[in-house]
Amino acid sequence: MSYPKPSRRSWAEPWKIKMVEPIRMTTLPERQKFLIEAGYNTFLLRSEDVYIDLLTDSGTSAMSDRQWAGIMLGDEAYAGSRNFYNLWEAVTQYYGYKYLVPTHQGRAAEHILSRIMIHPGDVIPGNMYFTTTRLHQELAGGTFVDVIIDEAHDPANPHPFKGNVDLAKLQRVIDRAGPGKIPYVSIAGTVNMAGGQPQSMENMCAVRELCQAHDIPVVLDATRAVENAYFIQQREPGYEAKKVAEILKEYCSYTDTCTMSAKKDTLVNIGGWLATNDQGLFEEARNLVVVYEGLHTYGGLAGRDMEAMARGIAESVEDDHIRTRIGQVEYLGNHLADWGIPIVQPIGGHAVFLDAKAYYPHIPQSQYPAQALAGDIYTDSGVRTMERGAVSAGRDAKTGEEHFPKLELVRLTIPRRVYTQAHMDVVAESVLEVYERREHARGLRMVYEPKYLRFFQARFERAS
Ligand SMILES: Cc1ncc(COP(=O)(O)O)c(C=O)c1O
């Protein structure tokens, strides 16, 4: 038998599998029952009832043998653990910040930063909200204002840097509020809620310049800044020959401070930090961390967790790693796009986002089409995804009205180094199957709504 010559050279992951975790397929009647028991909220499913878990890329990575070896080198001293110093060194080496305060995860860093920097009545402009970030800003008495470019709100727009700040919008917010009322500008590297979309280096520089002119600090949510650096390498003229590590350091150099959920880029199951070049902020943060997290040399983590993070940072910026990580996301996204399934374009860094408004046009946003679609995919195949639309957007902190964002999305989030291409094929086929039955889909009504971050625990029933 002869095979046709391939017209391209394939890529493959720069690792091989040393240990596996069995997963179990359930039956259709079982999944129908589990989803009703979970109130149509995929966060409330038990993980053992899930076949392929694309709920999130947060804390779901597979660690390397070097990271696991680091776990055994945990120095579990209460104070001054050697792993803390290794982590500090890695953050300074790869992200460039002078000072480090470890936290147990990203929102703990956001909490500490918001308590220190935000005063009641302040305004915080940013390139689209993120759920926990905005909530901590609001709890500290601030108001978030979205200054992302308009293209970010259009799922079909192919702009290569949909995470960019609209500088005219930012200038208007500064003029209206006055620089004294803006404690910082909040920038996310690859914007989660926009579909994992990057910001260009040129735009980051321009934001820096504008902020410097008004003496306003820039705070980076560095959670997926490595993925952002990869997109700069791939899409921005002048960066194609640079290493991702070099681009990351330059990107961070235009900011004063960062908060970090190390559960994503950094390839660990738990961890985060607040890092800064501002000595005054550092002193305050390391004082406050002892109130909410733990001593300033462990911040809610074990020594072993900090060691795994330090090693994960170095692995995360390797070009071979990041190319295949994002290559896998693109593999899934291209499959779906080729079949005509509406997804956010360009394909994002950590996930493929289905455009639920285009997928289920007959379901009004008040009946949460993205929430319904995530449930329908689970019922079809046991693949767990999550809603990123009206349920995640929540309510206006002042009026209590529900937000109905332009983007009503389902996120198929790919954990790092966990699933194979065959898993991606199974996922794609399930999404297609559900798409083909779309006229029969029905919306949901919310029957239980928690006060904060409602998407995690809300419950639903089928709308009549
Ligand atoms: C962009 C972004 N910022 C902050 C966070 C919060 O981090 P954590 O979940 O570690 O508290 C997340 C988590 O999903 C995120 O995606």
Side-chain angles (χ1 to χ4, degrees):
M1 184 172 173
S2 71
Y3 292 95
K5 240 181 165 186
S7 57
R8 61 173 193 136
R9 300 300 296 265
S10 294
W11 53 265
E13 287 79 3
W15 39 260
K16 56 185 177 176
I17 297 166
K18 192 180 304 210
M19 187 186 280
V20 297
E21 176 184 339
I23 49 177
R24 171 177 85 90
M25 188 51 157
T26 48
T27 63
L28 180 64
E30 280 176 332
R31 293 193 294 278
Q32 285 166 332
K33 175 172 154 282
F34 295 147
L35 189 67
I36 291 171
E37 284 170 0
Y40 293 89
N41 185 345
T42 51
F43 275 100
L44 300 179
L45 291 166
R46 287 176 182 236
S47 130
E48 64 188 5
D49 300 331
V50 170
Y51 179 43
I52 298 174
D53 203 348
L54 306 189
L55 183 72
T56 175
D57 62 332
S58 183
T60 52
S61 294
M63 291 206 296
S64 67
D65 51 0
R66 284 197 72 249
Q67 287 177 289
W68 279 109
I71 291 267
M72 295 308 294
L73 298 175
D75 169 4
E76 306 306 344
Y78 187 87
S81 158
R82 94 171 76 85
N83 313 116
F84 164 71
Y85 292 102
N86 291 347
L87 175 63
W88 190 347
E89 220 172 88
V91 170
T92 302
Q93 181 181 344
Y94 292 102
Y95 287 82
Y97 301 100
K98 274 193 221 154
Y99 306 109
L100 175 80
V101 178
T103 58
H104 83 278
Q105 62 183 83
R107 71 197 71 181
E110 292 167 353
H111 173 213
I112 288 166
L113 178 88
S114 302
R115 284 189 88 103
I116 296 169
M117 293 193 74
I118 299 173
H119 299 100
D122 281 353
V123 169
I124 306 98
N127 55 347
M128 202 174 270
Y129 84 99
F130 183 70
T131 54
T132 58
T133 320
R134 183 178 68 187
L135 179 60
H136 281 297
Q137 291 164 351
E138 288 173 354
L139 290 172
T143 303
F144 174 82
V145 181
D146 187 8
V147 293
I148 203 164
I149 56 172
D150 288 342
E151 288 87 336
H153 295 283
D154 173 3
N157 191 303
H159 192 293
F161 290 106
K162 282 164 104 174
N164 279 356
V165 169
D166 181 327
L167 297 163
K169 282 188 196 169
L170 177 56
Q171 183 69 65
R172 278 198 296 277
V173 176
I174 297 171
D175 292 343
R176 212 177 314 125
K181 280 284 173 199
I182 301 180
Y184 60 90
V185 170
S186 179
I187 298 294
T190 69
V191 180
N192 193 350
M193 304 303 282
Q197 302 295 324
Q199 181 195 24
S200 70
M201 192 74 88
E202 186 188 22
N203 184 256
M204 178 58 120
C205 280
V207 168
R208 175 59 159 186
E209 230 170 79
L210 180 54
C211 288
Q212 254 171 354
H214 296 282
D215 211 13
I216 299 171
V218 179
V219 173
L220 174 67
D221 181 338
T223 296
R224 297 185 186 83
V226 180
E227 293 179 357
N228 200 99
Y230 174 75
F231 283 121
I232 290 173
Q233 183 196 57
Q234 296 299 305
R235 298 179 186 171
E236 192 162 347
Y239 288 91
E240 51 282 277
K242 294 198 173 166
K243 293 265 180 212
V244 165
E246 207 182 327
I247 298 170
L248 174 71
K249 203 149 175 190
E250 180 186 337
Y251 185 68
C252 294
S253 74
Y254 302 121
T255 72
D256 302 279
T257 296
C258 84
T259 55
M260 180 70 176
S261 170
K263 300 169 71 174
K264 283 83 166 176
D265 271 355
T266 309
L267 301 163
V268 288
N269 306 123
I270 193 73
W273 68 73
L274 191 161
T276 183
N277 294 322
D278 176 339
Q279 195 180 353
L281 173 64
F282 168 61
E283 298 292 350
E284 281 188 74
R286 83 168 169 171
N287 187 220
L288 214 50
V289 81
V290 301
V291 180
Y292 295 107
E293 292 281 289
L295 196 74
H296 58 279
T297 58
Y298 73 82
L301 295 164
R304 55 181 173 269
D305 300 326
M306 292 188 284
E307 189 59 37
M309 243 198 295
R311 292 171 181 227
I313 291 172
E315 291 179 15
S316 74
V317 299
E318 283 170 11
D319 286 60
D320 281 350
H321 157 73
I322 195 74
R323 184 170 48 246
T324 55
R325 185 279 182 284
I326 292 181
Q328 190 179 41
V329 178
E330 285 171 347
Y331 174 84
L332 174 61
N334 285 332
H335 247 55
L336 299 177
D338 287 350
W339 290 336
I341 293 170
I343 62 168
V344 173
Q345 292 284 4
I347 296 162
H350 63 304
V352 176
F353 290 74
L354 306 178
D355 178 1
K357 278 188 189 169
Y359 201 106
Y360 283 167
H362 58 291
I363 301 180
Q365 205 173 6
S366 57
Q367 290 186 5
Y368 312 114
Q371 188 76 32
L373 176 53
D376 293 345
I377 294 170
Y378 171 74
T379 309
D380 178 70
S381 58
V383 171
R384 171 155 69 170
T385 62
M386 76 165 288
E387 190 264 8
R388 276 298 183 217
V391 181
S392 292
R395 291 180 183 273
D396 185 286
K398 292 197 183 98
T399 65
E401 292 292 307
E402 275 194 294
H403 291 295
F404 285 109
K406 289 204 176 115
L407 298 179
E408 177 73 21
L409 309 175
V410 169
R411 193 178 74 177
L412 280 61
T413 339
I414 319 291
R416 294 165 183 80
R417 307 192 296 205
V418 171
Y419 291 116
T420 66
Q421 210 149 301
H423 289 113
M424 295 302 112
D425 292 342
V426 169
V427 171
E429 286 158 23
S430 173
V431 172
L432 178 63
E433 176 74 30
V434 176
Y435 189 58
E436 283 174 346
R437 295 197 304 256
R438 61 193 179 280
E439 312 87 75
H440 306 294
R442 285 163 55 206
L444 298 170
R445 63 188 179 90
M446 201 181 294
V447 293
Y448 169 68
E449 180 178 0
K451 186 168 170 197
Y452 300 119
L453 302 174
R454 65 183 189 175
F455 57 96
F456 284 130
Q457 292 153 338
R459 300 185 70 84
F460 302 82
E461 285 175 1
R462 280 280 174 221
S464 44

